Amino acid sequence: MQENMIMYNRFFVENELYAPRLASKKPAKKTAILTCMDTRLTNLLSAALGLKDGDAKIIRNAGGLVLNEYDTTIRSLLVAILQFDIKYLAVIGHTDCGVSKLAPANIQKELIDRGISQKVLDDFSSKCSAFADWFTGFNTIEEEVKKSVRLLRNHPLMPKDVSIHGYVMETETGALSHVL
Ligand SMILES: [Zn+2]
């Protein structure tokens, strides 16, 4: 972490800037949101939905998507649902998502350029059944959000009383469209 962030942290704590943010760990809005790690959404998403600390569980990964039934994101969502009384689950993709442009060949070249040997890459990818999907982009975020919503709705461990919907957020304005 950059030193200026550590220094700011001391300032934050010494001046009790945390005080207005104190909240319960049980989400007040009984909502969990799966969204993208895009830095433009860090504060925009909460602001655009009127969420403050304590309102919702927000789980972020590359794309805000679930790739398969065993995706570790499912673990986070199930913990949220079972341990924190979540009743509403929202998958929120966003426009201009960088993940859409991923290409496996480019990522493999970058890994090799960064010192990972072809043998290590081959060994790893042969053991990881989802590896091909990790770095594959997509055409439309709407379709990807729908796939994740369907996967979650049909997941064998998903309690049926959880409401699951998919949305796309406009990255500049925060405008939300319901897609499924
Ligand atoms: Zn994204």
Side-chain angles (χ1 to χ4, degrees), residues 36-38 40-41 61-64 94-99:
C36 185
M37 65 185 187
D38 193 301
R40 295 170 293 180
L41 300 182
N61 67 21
H94 70 108
T95 56
D96 191 36
C97 183
V99 175

Side-chain angles (χ1 to χ4, degrees), residues 112-136:
I112 285 170
D113 288 349
R114 296 290 292 270
I116 311 300
S117 74
Q118 186 69 51
K119 182 183 182 322
V120 167
L121 192 53
D122 291 345
D123 284 351
F124 184 85
S125 56
S126 70
K127 288 177 195 147
C128 173
S129 61
F131 187 75
D133 295 335
W134 278 14
F135 304 117
T136 300

Side-chain angles (χ1 to χ4, degrees), residues 72-89:
T72 57
T73 302
I74 306 269
R75 168 178 175 264
S76 298
L77 294 172
L78 285 175
V79 168
I81 290 162
L82 301 173
Q83 303 284 296
F84 295 97
D85 199 24
I86 294 296
K87 302 284 188 226
Y88 306 93
L89 186 51

Side-chain angles (χ1 to χ4, degrees), residues 23 57 80 110 148:
K57 294 279 181 211
E110 284 182 36
S148 288

Side-chain angles (χ1 to χ4, degrees), residues 23-68:
S24 162
K25 66 181 175 183
K26 259 197 176 170
K29 295 195 187 293
K30 297 183 185 292
T31 297
I33 295 170
L34 171 60
T35 193
C36 185
M37 65 185 187
D38 193 301
T39 47
R40 295 170 293 180
L41 300 182
T42 301
N43 290 308
L44 176 72
L45 184 127
S46 292
L49 299 176
L51 297 175
K52 56 186 191 315
D53 290 352
D55 277 347
K57 294 279 181 211
I58 300 184
I59 296 127
R60 303 178 68 179
N61 67 21
L65 303 167
V66 181
L67 295 184
N68 57 56

